[in-house]
Amino acid sequence: MAFDTGQYRRTVLVPLSKDRARLEELQQVIRDLQGAGGSSAVARLDMAELFAVQPSMTAQELSAHLERLEMFFNKQKNLVPAQLLKRLLELLRKSGATVSDPRFWAGLAAARGQALKGRLADFARAIAQEYPLKVVTADLVAEQAASAGLRGIPPAELAAALEKHGVTVHPDFEIPKVTIPPPVRKVTEFPEFRTIVDVVLRPEQPSAVAVIEELSFGSPPRRIEPKDITAAQRRLQQQEARVEEKARQAAQNALAALTAYPSAAQLHALTLALLADTTQALLRRGMPRVTVRDELVRRGVRELDAARLVAKLAASTQVLGLNDVAERLAAGALGEARRLFDAIPAQDGEDPAERARIAASLAAAEKKKAGFLAQYESAVKRRDYVAATTALHAALAVDTQDDTLAERLAILPPLPPASMSARVDGRALDLAWSAPGEESVQYWVVRTAGAAPVNPTDGQVLAARLTATRYRDQRPPVATPLRYSVFATRDGMLFSEPASAAAIVLPAPAELSASAGATDVTLSWSTPPEAAQVVVTQTAADGSRLVHRPATPGQLTVTGLITGTRYRFSARCVYLLPGDRRGESEAVEVDATPRGAIRAVDDLRIEATEAGSRTTWSSVMGYSVELWALPVAARVTAGARVSFAALAAQRGRRLALRPLRAAGGVTAREFDPLPEVCLLVPVTVDGDGGLAGRPQIAGTVPTARTPTAERMGDELRISWEWPRGDYLMEVRWSVDGIPQVSLLSRADYNAAGGVRLTNADAVRDVSIATVVSAGTQKWLSPAVAVPVGGSAAARLRYSLAVRRSFRGRGSVTVTVECTQFRGTVQALTVLKEGKFPPISAADGTVVDRRSLDFSQHPLATFALDLGKVASPFWIRLFPGPDSGVRFEDPPTTQMRG
Amino acid sequence: MTDSVYGIDLGTTYSVIARINDLGQAEVLLNNESSPTTPSVVYFESDSNVVVGAEAKRSRLRDPENTCALIKRHMGTVHPLEYRGQTHTPESISALILKELVAIANNETGEGVRRVVITVPAYFGIQEREATRQAGEIAGLDVVGIVTEPVAAALSLRITGEQPETLLVYDLGGGTFDTTVIRAESGRIEVVAIDGNKTLGGADWDEALADLITRKFAEQAGLGDDDPRLDEEFEAELLGQAEDTKKSLTRKEKATVRCRYRDRDEQVTVTRAEFEEATRHLVAQTIDISRRVVATAQRKRAGLTVDRVLLVGGSSNMPMIEAALREELGWNPTKTQFDLAVAKGAAIYAQAAVDEVISPDGDEPQVAANAQEKYYLGGAKSLTLTNVLSRGLGVEFVRPENHDEAYVSFIMHANDPIPNRSEKVLARTVADGQTSVLVVLYEQKGEVESADPADNTRLEDNRLPIPSLPEGSPIELTLEVTAEGLARLTAYDPTGGRSIDVEAQISVMKQEDVERAKSLVSGISLRS
């Protein structure tokens, strides 16, 4: 059979990589093989499995197989098991083992078998000692065997070995998860009934009842079925006198509960679950497992089943001790702590002082709880439900699980609400309170005039069965002393004492507004009908006050005011209260400034100063004017109302103005120099905007930076850094004395890569200016001169024939023409691979350096082998240093390969 | 056929081929992908077709089972590998790489050159060198010489100065690490001391980085104890990315690697600092070896100081190497064309050999007085080369008091100059009436000498028949080592007048194995 390397890797090498124990065993065998152990060490391993050797392989097949295996190991450099197995094979060969002989492998298998037998016996003995109940599951045996290095042994062989030492192997089983009805649990507290089986089979008390695989007893096995329950009930009814009364009652209840299990399987599950419970309870007491098993046997359970049950539950059941009692006591589970303490017998090695201490703690807690209970009872007698509640809460804190305490608390009235507040809000009134620590409480809200109500019906019930701790009275009586009371209850029968708050609602005037004239202000408002009068207080900017008592309801005009000065008007309602008293509402306020009509600024002037700019305009009485800077192309209509938000949306900003001295009737301000040309708009402020005045354009135009002129053949390329902003650029130059001009945008510049001027030698006086335009108006920055190189040196033209072969070898033929002088010229041929041509001799590889002699002939031609070049590539000629000549480049299509 | 000859740097991870061009310059020849370096990876596409180079490296990802890399680490050992049903050896696989390099170079030059010089690490022993020569033979090439990589790197400098200078060549390649102290001047190269580790190279840095990436990925993806490297696809992808990530960390402070395993797909970030920390122990080993070789050189030449340190080998490009040399040893290394210098030096050596202007045994070569200066030799007319033994050579003896206890006594030691002939060593028979003497030649295997035969490589043995002599009769032993490091031990019985030679079994492949491999390789075509 062909050796499947993939499967071998998957089934042998990879699992071995992950099994640390087996790897260590393999390494130990290798160490033993190198040491005193000799080749007998390998008997511990399943060599046939590790090397995928089949027992049927002939010598020839074995030899070829091992050779292939070794070559496969050579490829698996990163797999540790592969390298270990390769090493093992090498060591076996070195030790003289005839690894290609099938007898060698048969011998290994036999040796392994022998070794295993001895180890198996040791293993069985160890299991028998470890598990005194002498029952184990098949899974456990397999796991323990694997840990002991006994892999690959059939389960039957393992079981047989264990049986020799009295240990039997059984399948695992599940403890049913069923809810045990309380009557079924309770009936086993009576000595007449050891288990529920006794209840069903009374008066018979069978022994050796099988409970795990099925619920049965006797030989031949008799299963317990639902019909047995019916029979048991009848027997109980007939034999009333034979059974103690309470036990009989309990049995009747249990049998009645059992009728809810209509199948034998369900009865079985219930019985097994109940026995498991019992077993766990016994184990938790710290009883030895064997003792627990014997106890179960005494209760009628078959010994084997008892052992299996104990073995299964022993691993997961925790034995409880005095520490657990103390924990429960600290957590407030007094009853549980007491029950546990009484159930735990004294353990070997237990400190008697510790038991005494815990007993004393228990007694103290019980005494404390009894004291609180006494307080509760006394308070109830006095009908002091508050004290009674407090005492019950205290008792519950000691024993949190005492249901009777909770029941008593549930029927006591709750504590009254706390922290009650009443807040007037206009014509309404908001109530709020708190009820700390109370749950499931409802509230009654009652309103009275004057004294607090004695009960929830003693007044106007505004709300009942309220669960929130706030309430809003929308239309309380006005100008009347009120009392609000809140009662708490759990069941609507018994109520707490009320929490109360007094309040009086005096609404203020509503909708107070003001309109201003030049020297007067007219106020208007609406007066609550209950108010007797409204009083208006006028406060000036200098703090002086004047009180007005308007005769006309809801209106007042105040004259003789100073134009442009702000006044504050506050209005209160006056109410007549019972007992001839007067009450005033909260004040409502409004500010007003008498001033003239608003107008837009139409005479804005701006002039440059050393510090920036100075601006003036005719003052607008009673109004302030702001100056906004917008982009020069912004649209603002003079005389129209404009909001500040709209100005900001047009990328406008408010200028910071510094006051300057000016003649009367004129406002003068100063501001910092503007970095660019802007549209300045004066705005007469009125609210969140104002009237836009006539705008002016001012500011400075930024210039281009780092202008540069480069020669590219016969062209002059002009480039520069653009200033920030949206501008045009005006380029001026002269050619042979004739001025030229070009206007271009940034997009034009980018598309062309700058400005290209032909006939470079004749170009002079290049300059660049920034252009700002707004409508028909145009502003230019100062022109920036562009430096252009001096007069040209002698020019040599050259042409190129560039080639690149299929295999990537490049070559070029260069022809140079020099018509302007005779002599020799140093020429550098530069190669550059990439997208761009070399800009200098250093920006590429100099593939050729030669002197061209034009003394006899104006033409020089030479060819170059460029070697292997990557496409695209460029060839360009440069003059040698200090040559005093200039090469005129051919078209770029010639230069590129 | 021309007089041309190639110099080949047959590297563990990358190989390079060069020649001396018409301008007398050492020139590296580009491969089909216009790259000067060719990955030393072979992909067996079928039983009659292989791919060598970058494409083979890419194939490793999808078919790792039929792709072979790092084969140089097994040269000179018995390490058979099966591909497409055929059994290959390290020599036959290296032959495929050599064949590909020469074929492309011939395509480039339009010539049919078969003569080559191949470089080997200085630390290679006799078996490894001979295995390299055999690989050339299997590829159908005429191997005119084997030169060590540090010497080739020194040659590539084209030293023109009259004053000798002491160089330390720090050669960290893909699979091996060599350090060599060389005295160099125009036309003369003298190896003073060599040291190294033939299983320490860039591939170990790759492995450490792969391990680091895996650990970070496992933590990030919450794999627990699951080892993703047991998955072949993950392993292949990881190893493919590890080398690129290593190179990226040479230029950048951090790199991101995509790791995919089952349903996990994570981007793992590795910083240069983490990489350096994970490989600190590797750098430390190279520093220790560098210190050791200088100490050895100083023992041979009192007062010797290192004038220049050369960094050779692609893996020397890592910033941590230069930093460690500066900080630990106070050296300011000179960078060479890391991965091309050795091939260029090999081409120089090869051309000098073909031009017959080289003397590898330390004597001045015979050249005409009006012989031309060689540009490739830095203007010198000839090249004198002296080398040293890389491993000690010894003979097995038994103790007079306990004939069962064998031990190796070294007659020549590592760093002894070669060629060399030892003084006569007097051995004695161990029993009365002995009629033969078994003479066994060993080569040092470890980094330091050990008398235990198990710690050394048994090269060859031969039995010298002697007349029945009493115990204690003399046998004279003489060991001779050639400039190429080939050893011959002569055992002479003065009483009987007989002698035998023990020539080192210098390769693991017998001649018939070589012929078989030639036939196998010639039947495999290279797809470019």
Side-chain angles (χ1 to χ4, degrees), chain A residues 563-645:
Chain A
T563 306
T565 302
R566 192 173 71 171
Y567 293 87
R568 175 156 290 176
F569 297 93
S570 61
R572 282 188 170 79
C573 286
V574 177
Y575 295 87
L576 298 173
L577 303 177
D580 293 331
R581 291 183 296 116
R582 294 161 73 84
E584 283 189 359
S585 73
E586 293 291 324
V588 289
E589 294 176 344
V590 68
D591 290 348
T593 305
R595 54 187 176 188
I598 190 171
R599 68 173 175 78
V601 169
D602 60 3
D603 61 347
L604 179 72
R605 286 186 190 78
I606 299 170
E607 55 196 33
T609 64
E610 279 181 13
S613 292
R614 183 175 187 274
T615 179
T616 57
W617 63 83
S618 299
S619 307
V620 180
M621 208 45 133
Y623 292 90
S624 61
V625 174
E626 294 179 346
L627 204 55
W628 280 71
L630 279 82
V632 72
R635 290 182 185 283
V636 175
T637 306
R641 183 170 169 82
V642 63
S643 69
F644 295 137

Side-chain angles (χ1 to χ4, degrees), chain A residues 707-720 731-735 744 749 752-768 785-792 795 886 888:
Chain A
T708 308
E710 297 171 278
R711 265 190 211 281
M712 301 286 289
D714 195 36
E715 269 183 352
L716 195 68
R717 181 177 162 266
I718 311 295
S719 59
W720 61 85
V731 181
R732 290 182 178 273
W733 70 98
S734 67
V735 178
L744 70 164
Y749 174 93
V755 173
R756 294 176 184 274
L757 308 177
T758 55
N759 200 3
D761 284 333
V763 170
R764 300 281 183 275
D765 303 323
V766 183
S767 66
I768 310 165
V786 181
V788 176
S791 59
R795 284 185 315 173
R886 190 166 60 77
E888 199 172 282

Side-chain angles (χ1 to χ4, degrees), chain A residues 261-549:
Chain A
Y261 297 83
S263 72
Q266 285 173 318
L267 272 180
H268 173 211
L270 178 65
T271 308
L272 183 54
L274 193 49
L275 273 172
D277 246 19
T278 305
T279 308
Q280 277 179 318
L282 292 171
L283 286 167
R284 271 198 292 269
R285 286 195 218 163
M287 293 166 73
R289 285 178 252 181
V290 173
T291 307
V292 173
R293 179 201 60 193
D294 294 343
E295 177 58 32
L296 287 177
V297 169
R298 269 198 293 279
R299 294 186 192 202
V301 179
R302 186 171 69 167
E303 185 174 341
L304 175 62
D305 288 21
R308 289 175 69 189
L309 204 48
V310 173
K312 182 171 180 73
L313 295 171
S316 58
T317 303
Q318 192 187 357
V319 176
L320 298 174
L322 290 175
N323 283 342
D324 299 292
V325 174
E327 260 177 50
R328 279 154 177 75
L329 190 57
L334 174 59
E336 207 176 302
R338 167 55 69 185
R339 279 191 292 279
L340 184 61
F341 182 77
D342 290 343
I344 294 175
Q347 309 282 339
D348 285 341
E350 187 186 275
D351 181 6
E354 178 69 9
R355 181 169 277 270
R357 188 186 68 76
I358 297 216
S361 298
L362 265 173
E366 283 163 345
K367 186 176 174 187
K368 195 172 172 186
K369 175 182 168 184
F372 288 131
L373 272 175
Q375 285 176 20
Y376 157 77
E377 277 156 11
S378 164
V380 166
K381 278 189 188 140
R382 297 193 308 271
R383 293 170 63 85
D384 183 353
Y385 298 127
V386 174
T389 305
T390 306
L392 274 181
H393 276 302
L396 266 172
V398 176
D399 190 353
T400 57
Q401 294 177 1
D402 188 338
D403 293 338
T404 57
L405 293 178
E407 283 165 13
R408 289 186 205 191
L409 187 62
I411 59 174
L412 274 182
L415 292 170
S419 309
M420 177 139 174
S421 66
R423 189 178 64 81
V424 175
D425 180 20
R427 285 194 72 95
L429 192 134
D430 287 322
L431 298 171
W433 60 92
S434 65
E438 292 284 353
E439 292 172 4
S440 306
V441 171
Q442 296 174 345
Y443 303 98
W444 257 247
V445 180
V446 179
R447 186 177 69 201
T448 51
V454 298
N455 60 57
T457 57
D458 182 24
Q460 186 173 353
V461 177
L462 298 177
R465 295 186 192 82
L466 200 63
T467 52
T469 55
R470 59 188 178 281
Y471 177 76
R472 185 177 173 91
D473 189 355
Q474 296 285 1
R475 301 287 301 180
V478 170
T480 307
L482 301 169
R483 182 164 286 277
Y484 290 87
S485 302
V486 178
F487 294 83
T489 181
R490 287 184 225 281
D491 56 1
M493 306 282 288
L494 289 176
F495 291 86
S496 70
E497 292 297 319
S500 282
I504 183 165
V505 178
L506 302 172
E511 299 159 5
L512 178 65
S513 66
S515 66
T519 57
D520 57 272
V521 170
T522 301
L523 303 168
S524 63
W525 61 89
S526 65
T527 313
E530 300 90 347
Q533 195 181 38
V534 172
V535 174
V536 176
T537 306
Q538 167 194 321
T539 309
D542 61 2
S544 58
R545 290 188 179 199
L546 199 60
V547 175
H548 305 273
R549 293 177 199 280

Side-chain angles (χ1 to χ4, degrees), chain B residues 81-97:
Chain B
L81 295 148
E82 186 191 342
Y83 293 104
R84 304 287 183 193
Q86 294 168 329
T87 302
H88 284 271
T89 60
E91 290 82 354
S92 67
I93 294 174
S94 297
L96 290 167
I97 299 171

